[in-house]
Structures are given as structure tokens and as C-alpha cells.
Amino acid sequence: MAAPSKSKPAPWTNRRRRWRPEGSLAVVTGASSGIGRELTLLLAGKGCRVIAVARRRERLEELVAEAKRLSPKAEVIPIVGDVTDMSVRDQALEQVRVLGEGKLDLLVNNAGVGGIGRFMDADPERMRQIMEVNFHAPVEWTRGAMEMLRNAANDFPTRQCTPVICNIGSVLGHRAVPEKSEYCASKFALHGWSDSIRAELTSDGIAVVLVSPSTTKSEFFDSLVGTEAGQKSKSFGSWPADRVARAAYAAIVACRSEVILSLGGKALVYSDRLTPPLVNAILARTIENAD
Ligand SMILES: NC(=O)c1ccc[n+]([C@@H]2O[C@H](COP(=O)([O-])OP(=O)(O)OC[C@H]3O[C@@H](n4cnc5c(N)ncnc54)[C@H](OP(=O)(O)O)[C@@H]3O)[C@@H](O)[C@H]2O)c1
């Protein structure tokens, strides 16, 4: 009888999944303010080189200076442009080729926009624009970066660092609310897509982390798409952006599949899982009362 073959274990088995900042290379989109800015500073301070992407050049220049001020060895490489423009993605990935020999350890799809107001009162362009930035852009940045993430995964035995795709979602990607239909749709799409590719990429040794913040103090509500002036978000409490960034960082390091942030956020998501009809009724009442 033939002896059982001692085939080599598949590279992803017996691996303790973990991510390390030291000596890593990351791409963070939406790095010019809020969560993306804070996460960039955190990563850079811990020895990760960060390719920081956003449209506002002066904000990125300020970010580079701030990172150096906090930690003289910090390396933040700015790429100015719109995440929906694939030539901007290609510029960022070219930097990965040059600086990281084609290996990318972390992609943070963070750039995002919102909009407030009833679906039927909105210009159809609001849906298109929000879906482009919040969903199609992360999809295409991930597609473009995949080969480089796989190159980093193949380096696991040497570096003991699992490459991570971190998508910044929202609690509204778990439970939708009225008057943010476009935003909820975009974050639900991001959530579903993240769950699906997480399973697909397990065999490649790449982790997919979905971070779902609740209301966060940032510039988010200053740049709403297709929204009448004076429209306010109906949300309770908020976390500062640096707290959200620290929670996202912890999730990345531990290669967590999903984190839902804040007590209010967890209350919304878990009460909906327990009793969706009750949450539907409460949300419908908030709209009726506003009429
Ligand atoms: N704030 C909240 O209450 C909240 C709650 C849950 C989830 N989130 C999510 O958290 C993420 C970060 O938001 P934030 O709160 O930190 O808001 P923020 O301060 O407004 O930051 C958004 C970032 O995205 C960038 N951005 C927006 N559109 C872009 C585009 N087309 N191309 C390139 N960059 C673009 C902005 O930079 P430029 O303008 O310079 O391009 C900015 O750096 C978003 O995905 C958001 O959906 C936020």
C-alpha cells in the first residue's frame, strides 16, 4: 500500500492571521480629513509607509508635514486626485511598484460621501455620484491592487504580515434609515461585496476587514452631495474621527472580519437583527412626525 503523501500544507493553513505596521506599505483613500487623515497619521507613526489619496492638495501637504512633525521617520506619499478616476488609482499603484517592489500590505477604501433628503425629491445624479465614490471606486481600487496584495501574501512566511483590504462602511450598511437612501444603498453594497470577497480571498491569504462607524465628527456633513442647505442628519451622539481610526487600526491588526462601532450603532444594528418590524415602525414614525 502506498504511503500517504506528505504534501506541503497549503500556504494559508496554520497561519495566524495578523497585520503589522512596521515596514509595511499602505494605500489610504480619503486621507485629507476625518477618519482617513487620523488613520494615516496613526499608521505612519507606527512605521508604515502610507500612500495618501484625496482631491485637496493643500490638505495632503499639511498631512505630510503633520506626520513628519509627530514622527520624523514617518513617510506619507501624497497622490492628489479623485478616486473615481482610474488614472489616479494607477498613479497610486505605480508608487507601490516603485516603493514596495509591487507588494501592497494594506488598502484602506475610506473615501466617501453622503447625501440627505428623500429619494423621490433628489436629482438622479445624487445616487450615481454616491455609488461611484462609495462603492464602484473601492471595487476598482481593489481590483487594481489585487496582484500586489497577492504578492504581499506570498511573502507571509518571511514577514508574518497578512495583507488586508479594509473597507470603511457604516452602520447604515447594516440597517438602512430614511432620507439617506443613496448612502445606505452604497454602504449595503460595500458590505455585501466585502463579505463575498472575504470568503473568496481566504485561500489567497488576504484578509477583508469591514469597519462600520456610526456618526463621526468630521467634515462629512459639510460636503453632502445634492443636498439642500440646512438638511440635518438625524443621529444621536458621535465619535471623534481619531477614535474611529484607532478602532479601525485595531481591527486591521487583528484581521477582524467586521466591527460595528459605538453603542448607538450597535443598538441600531442588533435591534434590527432581533426585530426588523419594530425598527421599521420606529423609523417610519420619525418620518411621519416630520411631515
Ligand atoms: N462621518 C460620519 O458620520 C460617518 C459615519 C459612518 C461612516 N463614515 C464613512 O467614513 C469614511 C470617511 O468619512 P469621514 O467621516 O472621515 O468624512 P470626511 O472628513 O468628509 O472625509 C472624507 C474623505 O474622503 C475624501 N473624498 C471624498 N470624495 C472623494 C473623491 N471623489 N476622491 C477622492 N477623495 C474623496 C475627502 O477628501 P477630498 O475632499 O480632499 O477629496 C476626505 O479626505 C467615509 O467612507 C464615510 O462614508 C462616516
Side-chain angles (χ1 to χ4, degrees):
M1 207 170 97
S5 74
K6 285 191 183 162
S7 60
K8 241 172 94 185
W12 59 90
T13 55
N14 302 328
R15 276 181 181 183
R16 206 179 137 244
R17 283 154 41 113
R18 78 195 92 180
W19 186 86
R20 295 177 191 283
E22 310 85 19
S24 284
L25 182 61
V27 171
V28 177
T29 68
S32 62
S33 66
I35 300 165
R37 179 182 188 278
E38 296 300 329
L39 186 57
T40 299
L41 291 174
L42 191 55
L43 290 166
K46 289 182 183 292
C48 175
R49 288 175 298 170
V50 186
I51 298 164
V53 186
R55 291 165 300 181
R56 286 171 292 176
R57 179 183 299 277
E58 68 293 349
R59 288 298 196 90
L60 289 180
E61 285 168 359
E62 185 275 332
L63 173 67
V64 172
E66 179 66 359
K68 277 265 177 256
R69 192 186 67 75
L70 293 174
S71 164
K73 285 192 179 155
E75 275 185 69
V76 174
I77 302 96
I79 298 283
V80 179
D82 194 309
V83 285
T84 63
D85 176 349
M86 287 308 117
S87 72
V88 173
R89 177 196 70 177
D90 294 344
Q91 270 180 60
L93 295 181
E94 183 52 31
Q95 285 299 312
V96 177
R97 266 181 215 104
V98 173
L99 300 170
E101 296 170 350
K103 294 173 201 156
L104 179 64
D105 302 293
L106 174 65
L107 170 64
V108 184
N109 288 309
N110 165 75
V113 287
I116 302 181
R118 291 189 179 201
F119 169 68
M120 285 309 290
D121 296 340
D123 188 305
E125 200 42 43
R126 186 164 80 189
M127 182 67 94
R128 287 191 196 289
Q129 216 176 318
I130 291 177
M131 288 298 289
E132 280 301 324
V133 178
N134 295 4
F135 179 63
H136 292 294
V139 167
E140 293 312 324
W141 279 68
T142 303
R143 199 193 302 282
M146 193 54 70
E147 189 192 328
M148 295 172 176
L149 291 160
R150 285 198 173 118
N151 291 343
N154 290 334
D155 233 13
F156 185 89
T158 322
R159 293 208 44 239
Q160 301 282 300
C161 175
T162 302
V164 170
I165 299 162
C166 174
N167 292 327
I168 305 296
S170 165
V171 295
L172 302 187
H174 298 261
R175 167 69 229 193
V177 297
E179 298 187 329
K180 292 178 183 166
S181 60
E182 299 88 352
Y183 184 72
C184 292
S186 71
K187 294 297 183 176
F188 261 77
L190 190 70
H191 176 178
W193 171 71
S194 300
D195 284 354
S196 186
I197 62 162
R198 179 181 303 111
E200 292 179 16
L201 295 176
T202 303
S203 57
D204 290 279
I206 298 169
V208 177
V209 175
L210 178 69
V211 176
S212 299
S214 190
T215 309
T216 305
K217 286 187 200 102
S218 69
E219 296 175 22
F220 187 78
F221 295 103
D222 302 337
S223 51
L224 296 169
V225 175
T227 301
E228 277 174 31
Q231 284 272 26
K232 290 262 181 291
S233 175
K234 295 188 186 80
S235 42
F236 305 100
S238 57
W239 275 20
D242 63 333
R243 188 170 175 196
V244 176
R246 285 198 301 278
Y249 175 78
I252 291 166
V253 169
C255 296
R256 299 264 310 267
S257 296
E258 174 181 291
V259 286
I260 294 167
L261 306 183
S262 98
L263 207 57
K266 287 186 173 82
L268 176 70
V269 174
Y270 296 127
S271 58
D272 183 59
R273 284 183 190 171
L274 278 175
T275 168
L278 178 68
V279 180
N280 284 336
I282 293 170
L283 291 172
R285 281 294 286 277
T286 64
I287 287 286
E288 280 166 22
N289 291 343
D291 282 338

